[in-house]
DNA sequence: GCTGGATACGTCCATATCGTTCAATGGTAG
DNA sequence: CTACCATTGAACGATATGGACGTATCCAGC
């Protein structure tokens, strides 16, 4: 094992172009990564390194590189706390992962599986801060993870508790997220719920959160809402968009007709109905021109953008002259 | 008494590492920020920290950094008032009461009725920071307000949407609260859910939050959990306390027997079962010496304190391995 | 191999915080 | 009223922090 010293220039050793030193299985971190991970500025990190508090190696070009063990030693001995553990790859939910690299969806699954509330929050928040759209995180990470956890259900009785706990954690993180989103509601009102008889609360919460991120003033009415109550509310607030999530379906034929009518009612007051959820296909409403279908949250968000765009142009012509 | 505020999504500028404009991970506050926020000099803050009244972490260079939860705990327990809420990521908030004097329960009712999410959050947090115990806020303000809103249900169809919306807001505020509580789990593990067949999610969330504030590592398994799944989980984590909320009751006789057995099973592994909720009296379990009944959250919290006290004395004779 | 955007380099500076001392304030007991 | 004690906020020089600057390096994508 090669000795590592700070400050003085190390012998030329090309480590810059790879993040891994394959010969030693060492992982290097840049000052930015480590700085973000422990929540200090790069300036401070540089100063500490130059003072010898943190041992760094240097690339040929003079850039600092920090080995994982040294980063950990420094964190432990200096007493600084880790703000974003996942930046260091430290979220080891070692259930059946043998040191392999996990993508964000896998990490989320393991964190949910382990009931690690803080971990889940951190993972989702970081993804969002790194610029990933919420609908993408939801569609590609959160929902698959929950589906996967739902499958445990069949294997073992403990799968039920894991699923319930994961559900609770998701709802908490969603609430946290919804609250932290900038409250700029430029696109009008959106309102939604789960279909009557459907008591799944997560899908509709996901939609509400994603739509808030899109700039809608999204009001979530939660699971299992009678359609006439929803209609009554729509008469009052005139939403641009109404979503209904359908993850559990009892009386398909009744709901189908109700949704048809509801969509037309909304149309009359310049609103649109978007339905989604795992059971939506059973309703066979894909031919109906007034009922929009979002197969996932991304689609729903796309539809919402279309609606707003259309509304803009529609209002512009309406200002001048309204023609049939 | 002029501290009325809610939490703002726009955080204090320049705290710690933040380089994104709307920092979602507001981790640390500097003495200046906190001092300005509560209107005291940095000198006093330093002295309090040195005397151990306020827990601070230190940067490598020795500067004090305060985490938000600790700041809120200190504000709450020391009774200082917040002068500039926005510095802590809270925003000035005053509900429009048209001059009339309303108590906090009434204000909460109106805010919930109006769907004013920010208002509800502000009111609850305000009460909490003024030193009122969470269980008291829940028992005397939140639950009565929700009950009152539930009554609207009968008058008018719009009562249904109001109730759903209020429920969603409550769940959000609870999540927010749970997140802001200091995470010191000194009293052991607590675990709970709503009874099988009971799909009300709020009571069990209230309990989880109150128990966290009490120092339990409370895990909420949400509504409608089969008892055998709960039992399976209890075998694994050996909770000190298990709560079951019963707001809706179908097969009373079956559940009664199950709960009896469950309570005895828990007893055998040093745990206690506490049940509560509006339908609890129908179970007629008040004679059973092993099934504890908490008529409200305050009672449940009291019971939990008793349990811990008893456990302490019990362990003193046992002298098992001590923790660091 | 070349190239462009992202990132880090070294350096400088404004501001914040450090530990400490000291004067002002306010309550209390004699 | 005075003497005493506790608390507070302001001041001090020294140090720490984070951001800004122009230049240099890194590395992924072609």
């Amino acid at each position: 094992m090669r000795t590592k010293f700070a400050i003085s220039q190390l012998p030329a050793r090309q480590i810059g172009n790879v993040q891994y030193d394959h010969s030693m299985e060492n992982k290097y971190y840049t000052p930015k990564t480590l700085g973000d991970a422990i929540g200090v500025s790069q300036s401070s990190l540089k100063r500490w390194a130059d003072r010898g508090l943190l041992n760094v190696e240097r690339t040929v070009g003079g850039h600092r590189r920090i080995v994982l063990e040294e980063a950990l030693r420094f964190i432990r001995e200096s007493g600084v706390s880790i703000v974003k553990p996942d930046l260091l790859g430290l979220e080891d939910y070692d259930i059946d992962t043998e040191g392999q690299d996990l993508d964000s969806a896998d990490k989320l699954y393991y964190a949910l599986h382990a009931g690690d509330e803080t971990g889940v929050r951190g993972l989702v928040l970081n993804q969002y801060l790194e610029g990933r759209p919420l609908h993408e995180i939801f569609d590609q990470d959160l929902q698959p993870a929950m589906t996967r956890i739902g499958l445990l259900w069949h294997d073992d009785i403990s799968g039920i508790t894991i699923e319930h706990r994961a559900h609770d954690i998701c709802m908490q993180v969603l609430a946290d997220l919804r609250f932290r989103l900038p409250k700029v509601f430029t696109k009008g009102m959106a309102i939604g719920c789960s279909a009557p008889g459907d008591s799944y609360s997560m899908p509709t919460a996901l939609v509400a959160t994603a739509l808030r991120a899109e700039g809608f003033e999204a009001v979530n009415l939660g699971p299992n809402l009678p359609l006439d109550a929803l209609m009554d509310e729509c008469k009052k607030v005139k939403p641009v968009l109404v979503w209904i999530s359908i993850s559990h379906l009892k009386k398909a034929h009744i709901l189908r007709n109700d949704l048809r009518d509801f969509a037309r009612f909304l149309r009359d007051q310049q609103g649109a109905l978007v339905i989604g959820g795992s059971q939506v296909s059973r309703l066979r409403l894909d031919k109906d021109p007034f009922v929009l279908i979002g197969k996932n949250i991304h689609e729903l968000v796309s539809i919402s953008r279309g609606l707003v765009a259309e509304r803009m142009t529609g209002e512009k012509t309406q200002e001048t002259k309204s023609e049939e």
Side-chain angles (χ1 to χ4, degrees), chain A residues 65-96:
Chain A
R65 289 295 121 96
I66 304 118
V67 202
L68 176 60
E69 302 96 51
E70 170 61 10
L72 293 178
R73 181 204 63 81
F74 175 74
I75 289 167
R76 181 161 26 85
E77 293 182 9
S78 68
V80 298
S81 58
I82 306 179
V83 178
K84 296 181 176 180
D86 57 306
L87 287 186
L88 297 181
L90 289 181
E91 309 272 335
D92 52 341
Y93 304 101
D94 38 22
I95 309 188
D96 48 17

Side-chain angles (χ1 to χ4, degrees), chain A residues 257-269:
Chain A
N257 289 334
D258 285 352
L259 287 177
R260 285 205 142 109
D261 294 344
F262 186 43
R264 276 153 187 81
F265 156 76
L266 278 178
R267 192 72 184 181
D268 289 342
Q269 55 167 46

